Amino acid sequence: MCSMAFGKDPTPGITKISELIFLIFGFGTITEAKNTAQRFEKAKSLFLKKEWAKAKNLLLTVQNTAPGSIESKRSRFLLGLIHMQNENFDSAIEVFKSLLKNYPEVEDYILFNLAKTEFLNKKPDRAQKHLLKLLTRFPLSLIHISEPTRLG
């Protein structure tokens, strides 16, 4: 039945099933998913080259075209870092706080960058609160060692 719905495929199974899942659950087409991944990779490359404005525009495109995707979450994280880099601390803090709720997989990185942003925003008490939460929740994390931040 599956081959009748999609035509003959020399590698039936996973490819066609994933296409069906994408279509049934409204994730879009596989081409759209690939385009989103490619846009994110290009944005990440621009970010690493410190081309903040170009990276920001592409990251916003990823967010708008695939709001529920993992690339969208990653895009928001990089946007927070761009805001921090551009000294838009309030915007960075807002992004990082929203990510704490929506991207728990990298909560330690988010907490670290939230603390760093609060410190740069001349709010060391808030920064300390986030660092204590980082150390309490993730005692084995090496993030606090890899990028020293002084609070005082």
Side-chain angles (χ1 to χ4, degrees), residues 2 16 24 53 73 81 83 88 103-104 113 115 127:
C2 187
K16 296 305 177 187
I24 290 173
K73 292 176 182 181
L81 294 177
H83 287 309
N88 297 326
Y103 198 15
N113 284 290

Side-chain angles (χ1 to χ4, degrees), residues 76-91:
R76 286 194 52 78
F77 183 79
L78 291 181
L79 283 169
L81 294 177
I82 290 172
H83 287 309
M84 184 175 30
Q85 181 65 34
N86 291 329
E87 298 183 6
N88 297 326
F89 300 124
D90 291 334
S91 295

Side-chain angles (χ1 to χ4, degrees), residues 94-111:
E94 182 180 322
V95 169
F96 291 135
K97 283 185 176 179
S98 73
L99 283 171
L100 283 174
K101 299 171 191 162
N102 301 317
Y103 198 15
E105 298 89 342
V106 293
E107 183 180 355
D108 51 345
Y109 287 91
I110 297 166
L111 284 168

Side-chain angles (χ1 to χ4, degrees), residues 35-150:
N35 288 341
T36 298
Q38 289 171 344
R39 282 188 197 109
F40 176 77
E41 288 302 318
K42 176 65 176 169
K44 186 170 71 171
S45 173
L46 292 167
F47 175 87
L48 293 172
K49 293 177 187 175
K50 299 182 180 184
E51 294 183 36
W52 310 125
K54 290 179 184 177
K56 181 179 177 181
N57 288 336
L58 207 46
L59 292 168
L60 289 170
T61 300
V62 169
Q63 277 193 280
N64 291 331
T65 57
S69 69
I70 188 68
E71 289 86 2
S72 179
K73 292 176 182 181
R74 292 173 178 162
S75 293
R76 286 194 52 78
F77 183 79
L78 291 181
L79 283 169
L81 294 177
I82 290 172
H83 287 309
M84 184 175 30
Q85 181 65 34
N86 291 329
E87 298 183 6
N88 297 326
F89 300 124
D90 291 334
S91 295
I93 291 166
E94 182 180 322
V95 169
F96 291 135
K97 283 185 176 179
S98 73
L99 283 171
L100 283 174
K101 299 171 191 162
N102 301 317
Y103 198 15
E105 298 89 342
V106 293
E107 183 180 355
D108 51 345
Y109 287 91
I110 297 166
L111 284 168
F112 177 79
N113 284 290
L114 185 55
K116 190 173 182 179
T117 305
E118 294 280 19
F119 181 75
L120 292 170
N121 201 26
K122 303 195 184 324
K123 297 180 180 171
D125 292 343
R126 289 184 187 175
Q128 185 177 29
K129 181 183 101 178
H130 298 304
L131 286 176
L132 288 173
K133 187 173 182 180
L134 170 66
L135 293 170
T136 303
R137 291 184 56 117
F138 304 96
L140 301 177
S141 176
L142 300 178
I143 295 171
H144 57 279
I145 295 170
S146 66
E147 289 192 43
T149 300
R150 295 185 186 192

